[in-house]
């Protein structure tokens, strides 16, 4: 009997060793290997020079964004666009600029808050201008695009507090833009998806107004840099695994790994219940892929309605056009055909 127990112990230790070894021996892919995983039209991206992400780079990107102009819309005759400054959540918080897209010829419509991407450190309302107009028109919703505060000047929870301030403001002022407060959702891309998912957790904690749905596109779901997608895509052009620890330090703090704030990212909770129906889209060749997929599975396991779609061959931030009909169908399902 002792011999059996001893052998079982050795097998257990061996398996633990293999698991630990695998975790630390995931090999970063070569540029050629990355290009083979991308769709042919994106394959050349893998062979481009790497970008050094540091504060000088961040300032440079921000300066270019300041110089950008509002993109022209081909469907401008179908949407009304207004601008507002929303009071901050707490005393002393600055006003939050928002851009509101209301589809014409619709009297009352669901409200959909949108948060732009940019690694929590850059990005503005112009970057997603066309997307927001399209979502408003084709999704038949009032889109409110939020220009939340950025790190490192305004670390967490500034962005999430801005999101929540706009969320509460949109409910209080819905009559001014024909929004339906019984049907409100939120979403975003990349860092914006992180802000949206984190705000959903904050709203649950505060027992706030019901959220009908959330749509998270290639979200930064957690702080785990040992995901296979993070390690394999550690050094690639564009958003790379090596950027994640640096951005987390800017957004959360230098000791983020040992001092994790509550609800800081959509997957950083020990309770995935009582959350809204969720649409998640991940890019197949993206360091954030596995975190987003893991989030979707955790939500599914506790009974949350989830539509989870990984798009193989796409790098971070790029998705096929068919993702938008999926989003509109999801909106219709949970805005116009709510579960009883």
């Amino acid at each position: 009997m002792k011999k059996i127990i001893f052998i079982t112990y050795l097998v257990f230790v061996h398996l633990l060793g293999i698991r630990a070894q695998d975790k630390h021996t995931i090999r970063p892919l070569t540029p050629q290997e990355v290009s083979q995983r991308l769709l042919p039209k994106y394959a050349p991206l893998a062979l481009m020079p790497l970008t050094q992400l540091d504060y000088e780079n961040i300032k440079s990107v921000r300066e270019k964004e300041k110089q950008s102009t509002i993109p022209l819309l081909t469907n401008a005759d179908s949407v009304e666009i207004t601008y507002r400054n929303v009071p901050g959540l707490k005393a002393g918080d600055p006003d939050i600029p928002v851009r509101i897209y209301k589809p014409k010829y619709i009297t009352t419509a669901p409200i959909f808050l949108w948060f732009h991407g940019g690694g929590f450190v850059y990005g503005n309302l112009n970057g997603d201008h066309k997307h927001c107009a399209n979502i408003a028109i084709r999704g038949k919703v009032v889109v409110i695009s939020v220009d939340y505060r950025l790190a490192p000047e305004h670390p967490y929870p500034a962005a999430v507090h801005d999101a929540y301030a706009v969320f509460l403001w949109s409910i209080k002022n819905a009559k001014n833009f024909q929004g339906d407060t019984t049907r409100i959702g939120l979403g975003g891309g990349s860092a914006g998806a992180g802000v949206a998912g984190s705000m959903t957790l904050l709203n649950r904690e505060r027992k706030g107004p019901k959220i009908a749905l959330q749509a998270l596109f290639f979200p930064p779901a957690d702080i785990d840099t040992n995901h296979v997608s993070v390690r394999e895509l550690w050094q690639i052009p564009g958003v790379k695994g090596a950027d994640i620890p640096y951005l987390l330090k800017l957004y959360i703090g230098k000791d983020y790994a040992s001092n994790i704030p509550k609800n800081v990212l959509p997957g950083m909770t020990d309770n995935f219940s009582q959350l809204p129906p969720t649409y998640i889209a991940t890019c197949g060749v993206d360091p954030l892929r596995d975190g987003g997929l893991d989030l979707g599975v955790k939500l599914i396991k506790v009974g949350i309605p989830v539509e989870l779609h990984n798009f193989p061959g796409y790098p971070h931030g790029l998705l096929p056009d068919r993702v938008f009909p999926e989003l509109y169908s999801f909106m219709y399902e949970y805005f116009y055909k709510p579960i009883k």
Side-chain angles (χ1 to χ4, degrees), residues 45-46 48-53 122 233-244 247 285-287 315-316:
L45 296 177
M48 294 178 65
L50 296 180
T51 301
Q52 178 62 40
L53 182 62
Y122 38 66
L233 303 171
W234 190 255
Q235 288 290 352
I236 62 172
V239 176
K240 55 186 178 293
D243 294 340
I244 295 175
L247 291 172
V285 192
D286 178 3
H316 179 83

Side-chain angles (χ1 to χ4, degrees), residues 278-282 292-297 300 306-310:
T278 302
Y279 177 89
I280 299 177
T282 59
L293 294 174
D294 187 51
L295 170 62
V297 171
I300 290 170
V306 174
E307 188 162 333
L308 178 60
H309 196 154
N310 180 65

Side-chain angles (χ1 to χ4, degrees), residues 272-277 296-306 339:
F272 291 91
S273 64
Q274 297 178 307
L275 292 174
V297 171
K298 287 177 178 176
L299 291 169
I300 290 170
K301 285 183 176 179
V302 298
I304 302 299
V306 174
I339 298 175

